[in-house]
Amino acid sequence: MALSACKGAHSDDSGGTGATGNFPEPGSKWKFVFINHVTTNSFFAPTQNGIKDAAALLGLDYQWTGAEDGNVSTMATALETAISGGADGIAVALTDDSAFKNGCKKAFDQGIPVVAYNATAAGNYALAYIGQDLFLSGYKMGQRILSQVHSGEIIVGISQPGGNNVQPRLDGIKKAIADAGASVTVHTVNTGAEQAAELSAMEAAYAGRKSAKGVYAVDAGSTAGIAQMVKKQGLKGRFHAGGYDTLDDTIEGVQSGALDFTIDQSAYLQGFLPMLSLYLYRLSGTLVHPPEMDTGLTFVTAENVAPYTKAASVYEGSKGKRLLAMPKSLPLPAPLTVTQS
């Protein structure tokens, strides 16, 4: 009775009762479509969990579609299908500078809002980008590499050279090395967009450059491949290593010392936040405009990897825990620096 009274007390100006919390009933269940470049890649398991949670919270429908292998033509077709199917909102990983421009414009012409997630491109009509600052993360990764490797060669795996989801990271690494004036040579390896083949690609790259002082990657599958390679071939301590994201093999690699670090970009938020942003944009009749949202950069190392190894949570891709206990002590954040003009 109390719950009914609370719900009845929150109504919109037209007298409708709230369907979800204080939100009014939109009249029909909205459906938001996510266009992805590697739909079956395990990196996006927590992203899909975030989408599901937001859908359940807000009373929405959703579709997860796109390409399995990074093919932008397949993605563009999926975008057209979402538009013709009457999607109420679209989130698209803008992995290419031009492939989605016409589709995004068509969506807006038909009153369908579009946001970018995980990857973005200028001039593609997206209302906002929700994901990691990719170039900055690569730059910071380059600085961390230089703290361990001061000269010589390093290998860097990349799943889709030129792709807006990973190329900016590689560019950031190279810029950090150039800015430091370090005598470090970067050898890039195209590992491909299919996750199963990335281990073989990294193994072949290392077999050809065993003098490398470091082996790194700018995508989830290639990073997991490095961890697998080190374990499989007993290479721990032969070189420095690191990369991106929190796949099981990667977290195990950080824990064992096979990897010095990996970078967490909050894949869960890249599903949850686009759903929330599109919902509020529609609900408010465009008044609540989606903001640009950086989903962050956390270096996961031996010092802070423990919560990742024990979590088994939806936030890192598992179908398990939704409520996790807070640790007894927390790492201190970097002090805030305030500058006055």
Side-chain angles (χ1 to χ4, degrees):
M1 290 175 63
L3 288 174
S4 297
C6 288
K7 185 174 181 180
H10 298 297
S11 61
D12 61 19
D13 292 339
S14 62
T17 58
T20 304
N22 286 353
F23 294 125
E25 176 65 59
S28 61
K29 184 174 281 191
W30 289 329
K31 180 179 180 180
F32 298 150
V33 178
F34 278 69
I35 312 294
N36 191 260
H37 48 294
V38 281
T39 53
T40 59
N41 192 294
S42 52
F43 165 79
F44 285 105
T47 303
Q48 293 180 72
N49 287 338
I51 296 169
K52 292 176 184 177
D53 285 352
L57 180 69
L58 300 170
L60 303 170
D61 281 336
Y62 70 91
Q63 181 183 6
W64 178 259
T65 186
E68 293 186 10
D69 58 358
N71 188 295
V72 294
S73 295
T74 303
M75 294 174 67
T77 298
L79 177 58
E80 289 286 345
T81 300
I83 296 167
S84 62
D88 295 296
I90 297 171
V92 56
L94 296 175
T95 55
D96 185 85
D97 285 339
S98 59
F100 311 107
K101 282 186 178 180
N102 291 338
C104 288
K105 185 178 185 302
K106 183 176 180 180
F108 279 97
D109 287 344
Q110 296 186 20
I112 304 172
V114 179
V115 296
Y117 75 102
N118 188 255
T120 190
N124 275 257
Y125 303 100
L127 291 167
Y129 168 57
I130 301 167
Q132 186 180 70
D133 185 327
L134 301 170
F135 180 84
L136 178 62
S137 75
Y139 195 91
K140 288 184 176 294
M141 179 174 171
Q143 291 177 320
R144 183 167 285 254
I145 290 171
L146 292 177
S147 72
Q148 299 171 323
V149 178
H150 309 297
S151 63
E153 300 178 322
I154 64 170
I155 298 168
V156 180
I158 178 170
S159 58
Q160 293 176 270
N164 290 342
N165 55 317
V166 285
Q167 185 65 45
R169 293 171 174 166
L170 179 59
D171 295 341
I173 291 172
K174 292 180 177 179
K175 184 66 163 60
I177 292 172
D179 285 352
S183 299
V184 174
T185 303
V186 178
H187 294 285
T188 304
V189 181
N190 181 356
T191 59
E194 296 185 14
Q195 192 173 351
E198 290 179 292
L199 169 59
S200 297
M202 292 308 304
E203 286 182 323
Y206 178 68
R209 294 191 181 275
K210 291 190 175 181
S211 62
K213 300 286 187 65
V215 181
Y216 302 95
V218 294
D219 65 275
S222 301
T223 302
I226 296 170
Q228 293 168 333
M229 178 180 74
V230 172
K231 180 179 180 180
K232 177 182 173 183
Q233 298 186 23
L235 298 174
K236 181 180 174 181
R238 298 279 187 89
F239 47 76
H240 290 286
Y244 278 84
D245 304 319
T246 57
L247 301 188
D248 289 344
D249 287 314
T250 299
I251 292 300
E252 181 183 331
V254 173
Q255 185 180 34
S256 70
L259 300 177
D260 299 315
F261 66 86
T262 191
I263 295 174
D264 183 4
Q265 60 172 312
S266 296
Y268 179 90
L269 290 179
Q270 293 180 25
F272 188 90
L273 292 178
M275 289 284 282
L276 180 61
S277 297
L278 288 168
Y279 177 78
L280 291 175
Y281 188 72
R282 288 203 68 94
L283 197 68
S284 69
T286 76
L287 296 180
V288 180
H289 194 286
E292 296 283 321
M293 286 184 269
D294 185 347
T295 57
L297 184 161
T298 301
F299 279 99
V300 180
T301 66
E303 286 71 34
N304 64 347
V305 72
Y308 291 86
T309 64
K310 300 174 183 177
S313 76
V314 297
Y315 311 107
E316 296 300 327
S318 168
K319 296 180 180 179
K321 300 176 185 175
R322 292 186 171 275
L323 180 62
L324 305 177
M326 287 290 289
K328 293 181 179 179
S329 63
L330 299 173
L332 289 173
L336 179 65
T337 300
V338 179
T339 59
Q340 295 183 353
S341 57

